[in-house]
Structures are given as C-alpha cells and as structure tokens.
Amino acid sequence: MYLVQLLLPLYDNNKQPFSHLDFDAVRSELAEHYGGVTAFLQSPAEGIWKANEEEVSHDDVVMFEVMTQKLDPAWWAEYRKSLQKRFRQEEVMVRAISVQKL
C-alpha cells in the first residue's frame, strides 16, 4: 500500500492567495479518482529552501494525502503537471511512501 502526499502553496509567487475553490477542486478530484482523500488545510506548513547562494525562498503549503494499493506514476506525473499550471508553480511536490497498515 502507498501513501501519496502532495504539497500545494497557499499563495502564488506574487503573494496572491489561491481561492478555497482551487483546493476544493483538488480534494474533489482526488476523492473521485481514489475513493478518498485527507486534506490538511487549516495548519499550513512552512517550506524554506535556498533558491541560490543569495536567495532563500519561502512557501506556506497545505497537504493532501491519498492511500492506494497500486502506484500509478504516469497518472501522478500528469496530475502534477496540471497542478503546476493551475497553481503557477515551477514544481509541485508529489511523493509516495510505501506503508503497512497496522
């Protein structure tokens, strides 16, 4: 079984907030495709990384998770690309973790 997590920014690169409708659409799409989704929207995480030697970038992000028996990397790659366009990002983090239900 796999836990797939995706991180989406709350704001675009001009610090304009995304609408709750943008996140509602992602939640609906994942629930429809995978039969369920968990969305962590109320307590954003803070991401910080060095863009280059002189610049530190910052994002407030929310996380969506789905559980799936089979991993479909091609579907996730296409979905990630669509999210990058919708959320105007160079990259959206999508990661999969192998998990064992206890």
Side-chain angles (χ1 to χ4, degrees):
M1 174 158 290
Y2 295 92
L3 173 67
V4 181
Q5 299 173 320
L6 60 98
L7 304 175
L8 293 175
L10 289 177
Y11 305 94
D12 68 14
N13 292 330
N14 295 320
K15 302 300 179 201
Q16 296 301 307
F18 291 106
S19 166
H20 67 87
L21 298 174
D22 295 315
F23 300 107
D24 289 348
V26 172
R27 184 175 44 222
S28 295
E29 291 159 2
L30 292 173
E32 176 70 26
H33 193 83
Y34 284 97
V37 62
T38 302
F40 299 90
L41 304 175
Q42 297 303 315
S43 299
E46 181 180 27
I48 298 174
W49 67 97
K50 284 185 105 174
N52 56 48
E53 286 295 318
E54 300 161 6
E55 184 181 355
V56 175
S57 293
H58 166 270
D59 262 337
D60 289 329
V61 297
V62 294
M63 182 167 54
F64 292 82
E65 293 183 338
V66 297
M67 300 283 289
T68 181
Q69 288 291 337
K70 294 183 179 182
L71 195 58
D72 185 350
W75 187 89
W76 281 105
E78 287 302 312
Y79 192 62
R80 180 182 48 78
K81 288 177 190 175
S82 76
L83 292 173
Q84 287 171 179
K85 286 182 183 178
R86 279 196 270 175
F87 286 87
R88 300 182 295 282
Q89 299 294 300
E90 289 180 25
E91 185 175 8
V92 166
M93 174 58 67
V94 178
R95 59 190 178 204
I97 303 163
S98 179
V99 297
Q100 179 180 356
K101 287 174 55 174
L102 302 175

